[in-house]
Amino acid sequence: MNKAQLVKELIKIFGEDSVLHHVEDIMVYEYDFSIDSNRPEAVVLPRNTEQISQLMDLCEKNKIPVVPRGAGTGLNGGSIPVRGGIVVSLARMKKLVKHEPKNRYAVVEPGMVNIDLSNEIASTGYFFAPDPASQRASTIGGNIALNSGGPHCLALGSTTNHILGLELVLPGGEVVKTGGAAPDRPGYDLTGFIVGSEGTLGIITEATVKTMKIPEAVQTFLALFHTIDEACEAVAQVIGAGIVPAALEMLDQVMIELIERAMHAGYPPDAGAVLLIEIDGLREELGDLQDTIIDICRRTGAFDVKYATSEEERQKLWKGRKSAAGALGQVAPNFYLHDGVVPRTKLPEVMHKVMEIGREYNLVVANIFHAGDGNLHPSLLFDAREPGILERVIEAGEKILKLCVDVGGTITGEHGIGTEKQEYMTWIFSEADLETMRKVKDVFNPNDTANPWKVFPTRQSCGEISLKMRLLKSKPGMEEAWI
């Protein structure tokens, strides 16, 4: 099937207003928030499950790759059409289908923006807990695909802990449902298996999610430290004392200066590191809990503590944290952000070595991370127009991730694998482990048409298509694409 025939078939399914195929229309779908890119043959914008089912049937019969896409805020290349084919933008499937506060669940379409769900149900006293930094743009379908985290996942768990059931369209068009509104269902946890599968099993078209009661009271404050070591020690002692704050975030001096310059969020630029700490619960409980945390911070070196005295000030502090990516543009036009995970006790050692790696490769590194669960987010800042820079950036990123693994951690906490980290999977899994995973994936997606060449290390027969190899070679186009 050539491109003209393909476009004709797509228009039959979706209508002319829902099929993009001209270069100027599909260019934006070449990218996500990573440093990878490749152009699809066409983009479709479905409005319902039936249209997606017809598409999956068409593409399976013709072995055409299908790549689901939410808002494109992913950081691992997961929504990049590395083999061309069809990108399925779920932006039009964004309805809140149902909310039952008494049963504490909601049913949503995958294109619904994360924060929009909490805003829509706020009047009932409930909210959706997972809160990635991109929550003002990222979609719930994308959050599910990557098992996204976020600052408040320290206490409440990542996305997988908040998904009760899913509707999934398999390659070939079959529509299946897993789980449901009732918790603790018997049998295999297929819902849990689909969460975090990065679109390699099919396309999610509906999700049943938990909703949680909005806390009665919230307190947010910044603890200021001279050094990262002091802030890391405070984190270890807070968690070691059996205290799990709602959020416990750390920023280094580079990131503090950038955020303050861009956002004026109230982050003091003279601090070597700050902890953004939030606690919530019953109003009567928070005073003593805050005093205990502050006492730990002062004992470990905090020289000042700044409190949010109003909801406006609280939102300002969080806006600074969640707008960090935008602030990076003041230093360089590009950044490469990782999310390795390390044991909390290893944070000081790892942070020093991360900065050493930055100096070794002559790169500015800004750090912001979920300190409470040891999930690092070092951002390597660079200008992609500089000759040879990609080699340095990718090698530095690889060293940082290997460092995380070597101290007992892992290669991702919430961003997923995609194309960015697939070759590093062998650091943490044996070939037998990976083959077992592939066999399970093949039950759902036997011909690898659903988001192909993602997550798993590439085999020689597939060619050198990992992010590292493709970016470091000259590639005017993907000659191995399906068409």
Side-chain angles (χ1 to χ4, degrees), residues 320-339:
R321 164 62 183 89
K322 294 194 173 187
S323 301
L328 298 175
Q330 298 172 96
V331 174
N334 304 97
F335 68 90
Y336 189 32
L337 188 151
H338 274 300
D339 78 316

Side-chain angles (χ1 to χ4, degrees), residues 131 152 215 218-221 265 267 276 278-280 307-320:
D131 65 331
H152 290 86
V218 178
Q219 292 180 6
T220 308
F221 46 99
Y267 292 6
L276 175 59
E278 185 160 282
I279 55 177
D280 60 29
Y307 303 88
T309 58
S310 66
E311 179 61 19
E312 181 182 2
E313 289 184 3
R314 174 179 172 265
Q315 291 298 335
K316 191 175 180 181
L317 289 176
W318 278 113
K319 183 179 180 181

Side-chain angles (χ1 to χ4, degrees), residues 348-399:
E349 171 190 346
V350 170
M351 292 308 302
H352 282 296
K353 289 182 178 178
V354 166
M355 301 313 291
E356 288 175 10
I357 291 169
R359 290 189 290 271
E360 177 185 353
Y361 286 89
N362 194 27
L363 295 167
V364 175
V365 183
N367 289 282
I368 185 169
F369 52 97
H370 309 313
D373 49 16
N375 188 186
L376 308 181
H377 290 329
S379 298
L380 310 177
L381 309 181
F382 68 103
D383 185 340
R385 295 166 296 188
E386 180 184 334
I389 190 66
L390 277 179
E391 289 91 333
R392 299 209 322 265
V393 168
I394 291 174
E395 287 180 17
E398 183 173 310
K399 276 195 174 183

